[in-house]
Amino acid sequence: MWKLKFISKENFYKHIQDTIEKYGEKLESYDLKKFNKNIIDPIKLIFDKTVYSSSWNEIINSEIFRQRDKSNNNDIGYFHQRIFQYIDNCKVPENGEDGGWDVIYENKDGITLPEGTIVHKIYVEMKNKHNTMNSSSASKTFIKMQNQLLNDDDCACFLVEAIAQHSQNIKWETTVDKQKVSHKLIRRVSMDQFWSLVTGEEDAFYKICMLLPEVIKEVIQDTKAFSFPDDNVCEEIEEKSKLYPKLSNDEAIAMAFYMLAFSEYLGFKK
């Protein structure tokens, strides 16, 4: 029995499949050239290896994971936002359309906010994590929401955070031009509270989280073309370290990394 009433299994499966496909090139195997595309900081690698008592393999694999993870955050943002295209009364505008909002939720029967105010439409700006906005970005977003309220007196604007500090639906207080600002119709809302509002099910987000591991595994098993990366950075750097036979193995690998970044620097160029 499918446990979610607000989204079909077919749509949930498809959305997870689309999200995995968004990983795209991050699933490609890493060789040394790809690993060093943005020029690795060998000094940081050496500090990390020594301070954390790690092996070179562990440090290299950790850096590969970091590089993939940095890009994957955008793909998880895609998951959190685009899933609402399958939810009743929700619209996910294409990029740049409808004011550039991430989600627009409309309910002709009215949407009751915590303080009792009733509106019929909510415009959503969505963030993965509560601390990803700097002061400039927060100011710009708040002003955008103020402008929306001026153009539509039957709406509210939400800053929805997937990873919030608390479960909340509160008035958003921030700073614009060094002045503290807030408005009862501009709100800071955690993802669980937003899901509860649009579905009418208090634990909707919890139910999604509980089903995710199972469906992700099913999608991967069903997708025959899906392949796991086979990284060979460790082997390539070992091969380069052989250019320095007078050094110990640890020093030779460090030198190989130094040469990736510092091959034209004084001393190294010799």
Side-chain angles (χ1 to χ4, degrees):
M1 290 286 293
W2 182 241
K3 299 174 183 177
L4 302 182
K5 296 178 182 178
F6 46 85
I7 185 171
S8 68
K9 181 176 182 181
E10 291 73 24
N11 285 339
F12 193 66
Y13 181 102
K14 182 179 185 306
H15 185 57
I16 289 175
Q17 188 175 42
D18 290 343
T19 302
I20 290 174
E21 287 176 0
K22 291 287 287 183
Y23 274 52
E25 65 178 22
K26 279 86 74 180
L27 293 173
E28 294 177 2
S29 299
Y30 266 66
D31 58 14
L32 194 54
K33 182 179 179 181
K34 185 176 177 68
F35 180 77
N36 197 48
K37 183 178 179 181
N38 293 317
I39 306 183
I40 286 295
D41 183 347
I43 292 176
K44 182 181 183 301
L45 287 186
I46 290 168
F47 264 98
D48 288 351
K49 176 185 179 299
T50 308
V51 172
Y52 299 131
S53 300
S54 300
S55 68
W56 279 113
N57 280 12
E58 289 169 336
I59 286 297
I60 291 168
N61 289 330
S62 176
E63 173 60 22
I64 291 172
F65 179 84
R66 186 198 67 78
Q67 290 186 23
R68 285 194 174 111
D69 185 60
K70 188 176 179 181
S71 299
N72 290 345
N73 285 331
N74 292 331
D75 301 329
I76 299 308
Y78 171 92
F79 171 82
H80 284 304
Q81 176 198 8
R82 299 296 301 185
I83 192 171
F84 286 99
Q85 68 187 299
Y86 301 110
I87 306 302
D88 288 346
N89 302 317
C90 287
K91 178 181 181 181
V92 179
E94 295 300 323
N95 288 340
E97 296 183 6
D98 294 308
W101 298 99
D102 291 326
V103 179
I104 300 173
Y105 170 56
E106 188 170 9
N107 191 325
K108 59 182 176 58
D109 296 325
I111 304 159
T112 304
L113 303 180
E115 286 85 353
T117 305
I118 297 175
V119 297
H120 290 83
K121 190 177 286 188
I122 293 173
Y123 295 90
V124 175
E125 189 81 11
M126 198 168 283
K127 298 295 177 187
N128 279 2
K129 202 168 184 179
H130 66 89
N131 60 356
T132 54
M133 294 177 73
N134 57 32
S135 59
S136 175
S137 177
S139 296
K140 186 177 179 181
T141 301
F142 194 92
I143 291 169
K144 175 183 176 180
M145 292 179 171
Q146 281 182 317
N147 289 337
Q148 186 62 51
L149 295 182
L150 289 173
N151 293 322
D152 183 352
D153 58 5
D154 188 22
C155 76
C157 295
F158 283 8
L159 174 66
V160 174
E161 298 164 326
I163 312 295
Q165 290 178 302
H166 309 283
S167 177
Q168 61 192 21
N169 184 340
I170 59 175
K171 186 164 60 174
W172 183 22
E173 298 179 348
T174 188
T175 302
V176 176
D177 294 332
K178 300 182 180 179
Q179 297 288 325
K180 286 189 176 181
V181 293
S182 65
H183 192 291
K184 67 178 183 179
L185 295 178
I186 298 178
R187 310 190 64 79
R188 191 172 180 179
V189 183
S190 56
M191 186 65 80
D192 64 317
Q193 294 280 350
F194 185 61
W195 270 104
S196 175
L197 185 70
V198 300
T199 65
E201 295 191 25
E202 188 176 81
D203 59 349
F205 185 63
Y206 168 82
K207 290 175 179 176
I208 287 172
C209 292
M210 290 301 98
L211 279 173
L212 261 181
E214 170 190 330
V215 181
I216 291 173
K217 185 176 180 180
E218 186 179 337
V219 169
I220 290 174
Q221 288 175 340
D222 291 348
T223 308
K224 306 300 183 191
F226 185 87
S227 60
F228 292 96
D230 181 21
D231 305 318
N232 59 2
V233 177
C234 295
E235 291 81 356
E236 286 191 57
I237 206 72
E238 279 276 3
E239 192 63 31
K240 285 187 175 294
S241 72
K242 293 177 182 177
L243 295 171
Y244 315 105
K246 294 182 180 180
L247 301 178
S248 68
N249 183 63
D250 195 55
E251 291 170 332
I253 292 176
M255 180 59 75
F257 275 118
Y258 279 143
M259 294 303 287
L260 290 178
F262 305 146
S263 62
E264 295 184 11
Y265 279 27
L266 300 175
F268 292 95
K269 193 172 182 179
K270 271 188 181 179

